[in-house]
Amino acid sequence: MLKALRIVARTRGALGVLLGSLILLAPGTSWTQDGDSDPDIEIITHPQRVDAGFKKDTLRALFSMRQRSWPDGERVQVFVFPDHSRDHQHFCKHMLGTFPYVLRAIWDRLVFTGTGFAPIEVQSAEEMRRRVRQTPGAIGYIVHRRKHIEGPVSLLADTQPATDGETP
């Protein structure tokens, strides 16, 4: 009886990971309006890497750690933001067409089984740029935030209230 429960538990866990992988790999899964990319996301690579552009399938393979080397054989080193960061969530949903927890399940499985490594987490865009620039074979992403300002902005010279003896 106990052996049967263990088999069911293992099967249930494997099915969850398999289902998560299928969601990640499903063709045509896109969370963007325009289909191919999000203009607010910039994919960055090591300066010696001259890849002009990446298809969504290639990015999914790289960031899910399925593609572990570049076409020339150099090892890929992936850098990401923490799972809870808005930039990582935006990147996963709009560029990869998946959710951060799906990637985390794949990475955790690779680490747990000893068949791979999880990406390296960085805390800021500056750190992302620096680490990618310094690491051969590296890839990462930067999410650019747009600031919307309504109408012209004017700065008042003196906004302090007048004190006794001063005229406003």
Side-chain angles (χ1 to χ4, degrees), residues 57-97:
D57 293 339
T58 303
L59 287 174
R60 283 186 192 127
L62 289 167
F63 283 92
S64 67
M65 310 304 277
R66 285 185 296 118
Q67 182 175 334
R68 298 177 186 189
S69 62
W70 295 103
D72 64 1
E74 184 176 20
R75 184 173 168 257
V76 174
Q77 180 61 62
V78 178
F79 290 92
V80 297
F81 291 111
D83 293 351
H84 64 274
S85 77
R86 282 186 355 180
D87 289 349
H88 184 67
Q89 293 171 6
H90 184 79
F91 172 74
C92 289
K93 291 176 186 176
H94 296 280
M95 202 67 169
L96 302 180

Side-chain angles (χ1 to χ4, degrees), residues 65-139:
M65 310 304 277
R66 285 185 296 118
Q67 182 175 334
R68 298 177 186 189
S69 62
W70 295 103
D72 64 1
E74 184 176 20
R75 184 173 168 257
V76 174
Q77 180 61 62
V78 178
F79 290 92
V80 297
F81 291 111
D83 293 351
H84 64 274
S85 77
R86 282 186 355 180
D87 289 349
H88 184 67
Q89 293 171 6
H90 184 79
F91 172 74
C92 289
K93 291 176 186 176
H94 296 280
M95 202 67 169
L96 302 180
T98 189
F99 295 100
Y101 68 86
V102 174
L103 280 180
R104 177 55 56 193
I106 292 169
W107 300 336
D108 288 349
R109 186 191 69 214
L110 290 172
V111 171
F112 181 73
T113 60
T115 58
F117 298 97
I120 297 173
E121 286 187 8
V122 297
Q123 301 301 317
S124 68
E126 294 80 26
E127 183 183 3
M128 176 74 78
R129 287 187 196 280
R130 181 178 50 79
R131 299 282 301 267
V132 168
R133 191 177 334 112
Q134 293 174 350
T135 308
I139 187 170

